[in-house]
Amino acid sequence: MKRWRRAIRMMAMMLICVPMTAVVANAEPAPYVPAPGIEAKYFEQGPAAVTERIGFACCDSTGAKFDVWYPTDLGTTRHPIVVWGNGTNAVPSQYTYLLRHLASWGFVVIATENQRTGSGVDIRKSLDYLLARDEDPASEFFGKLDRTAVGAMGHSQGASGVLNAMRDSAGVIKTVVPLELPAQTWCSNSIACADTRSLTSGSVFLVNGSTDALISPSHQALPWQTDGLQSNQGYYEATPANVTKVWATLSGPNHNDVQGQPGCYGASFPCTTGVYGYLGYPTAWLLGQLTGDAAARAAFRAGGALFGPSPNWHNQVGGVTD
């Protein structure tokens, strides 16, 4: 069994790291059609113009720089924060379409360029840096950040990282959106492993693609109590009842669709449709959890918009109760 898992792990790492070739540009799928209402609203770009600054500042514990995306006109309001976690061997600029999308809806987004974010340590370092700028009169972020409205989103290893970052944040990170969370069999070490049983507060919206059966499967053959957390269903079921939790699977996407710009061209292999499905409901989740957007929050209550019949989503379970 260990030899089999080691071989599969090596194959999966090859899939994560191989860049997409130009051939995919000739096979762009039809545009994603979001459900009317909340998903359609937040599927579109938000009203804010966005400033992107790559290599904005230095540094996390490894010396990696931080990148930021934020509304160009910060105005007089305080903006919610999203900290991002990269997948294995990836950097934030590979997720530009998604991160710009979040900033267009009012979030200030920060990400370390660290390519090994599974422990969550350097995801929290990026947050610490940004919160310090909120207190620095010389910073454009001085007095502009809502320190009580911090969320985290991450892909693959970064999905593990944001869960660990929330666990260790002493309540500062309020909610996380893990995208394509890897089964525990892919953990290179226990520090980079995610275990939703360890969460004590906050909220979680788990999202995986239906064709990502190798790295982030929806279901597992044996119960998680027997085989460990090897599926999104397992992670969802193991999350304590006092933590608000939702899980849903996008129909079609593979492991690296979230890197789409917006289709698969430019994304790492494997990708089948692009970033489209990761825009609407994840943005609504963050707004509902962090800003008091009542309509967005209602979409995740039992019987809400996410849970209706859909050609784009299945495995919808859980819900916001308050």
Side-chain angles (χ1 to χ4, degrees):
M1 177 66 74
K2 288 184 178 178
R3 184 177 303 171
W4 177 82
R5 285 185 170 172
R6 189 179 303 115
I8 295 293
R9 182 181 296 114
M10 301 231 357
M11 183 166 54
M13 291 302 297
M14 291 173 64
L15 291 176
I16 293 170
C17 304
V18 175
M20 185 71 73
T21 66
V23 173
V24 177
N26 299 321
E28 285 288 331
Y32 179 95
V33 180
I38 287 297
E39 187 185 20
K41 176 179 179 178
Y42 293 116
F43 174 83
E44 300 297 333
Q45 292 292 302
V50 174
T51 294
E52 174 187 85
R53 299 178 67 180
I54 304 300
F56 170 70
C58 193
C59 300
D60 72 8
S61 67
T62 68
K65 293 182 179 180
F66 302 127
D67 302 341
V68 292
W69 290 258
Y70 58 91
T72 301
D73 181 9
L74 290 167
T76 59
T77 189
R78 284 188 174 267
H79 294 266
I81 297 166
V82 173
V83 288
W84 173 259
N86 305 310
T88 304
N89 294 334
V91 293
S93 57
Q94 291 177 263
Y95 305 92
T96 291
Y97 195 94
L98 174 62
L99 303 183
R100 287 185 65 89
H101 180 85
L102 294 173
S104 78
W105 283 104
F107 294 100
V108 173
V109 182
I110 189 164
T112 173
E113 294 180 0
N114 192 326
Q115 299 177 33
R116 294 288 189 276
T117 60
S119 70
V121 169
D122 292 305
I123 293 172
R124 288 188 293 112
K125 287 283 187 183
S126 70
L127 176 60
D128 291 343
Y129 174 85
L130 190 59
L131 293 178
R133 302 290 71 74
D134 181 58
E135 299 175 339
D136 180 0
S139 170
E140 61 267 67
F141 299 117
F142 177 59
K144 303 294 186 184
L145 304 178
D146 188 345
R147 306 168 71 92
T148 69
V150 180
M153 180 183 286
H155 169 231
S156 193
Q157 183 176 160
S160 298
V162 295
L163 284 163
N164 291 331
M166 183 170 78
R167 178 198 64 198
D168 298 334
S169 73
V172 175
I173 298 175
K174 309 296 186 186
T175 191
V176 292
V177 184
L179 308 174
E180 313 305 333
L181 179 61
Q184 283 187 337
T185 190
W186 305 117
C187 292
S188 57
N189 58 69
S190 60
I191 295 174
C193 223
D195 189 340
T196 51
R197 291 172 295 183
S198 67
L199 300 178
T200 58
S201 64
S203 60
V204 180
F205 179 28
L206 294 157
V207 179
N208 70 308
S210 64
T211 56
D212 189 10
L214 181 61
I215 298 171
S216 185
S218 293
H219 306 282
Q220 56 193 84
L222 297 175
W224 65 266
Q225 296 90 339
T226 301
D227 200 34
L229 301 174
Q230 310 299 348
S231 68
N232 282 264
Q233 180 185 27
Y235 283 115
Y236 171 81
E237 292 178 351
T239 303
N242 66 300
V243 176
T244 299
K245 57 182 179 177
V246 174
W247 164 45
T249 299
L250 275 163
S251 302
N254 210 311
H255 193 68
N256 290 314
D257 285 60
V258 67
Q259 294 180 352
Q261 302 297 324
C264 281
Y265 185 66
S268 299
F269 180 84
C271 174
T272 60
T273 59
V275 73
Y276 305 106
Y278 301 89
L279 301 176
Y281 280 129
T283 303
W285 173 270
L286 290 168
L287 287 167
Q289 293 292 306
L290 298 176
T291 73
D293 184 323
R297 193 175 180 88
F300 298 93
R301 292 195 176 100
L306 174 67
F307 298 92
S310 170
N312 299 320
W313 294 88
H314 60 284
N315 292 330
Q316 304 101 309
V317 65
V320 173
T321 57
D322 58 351

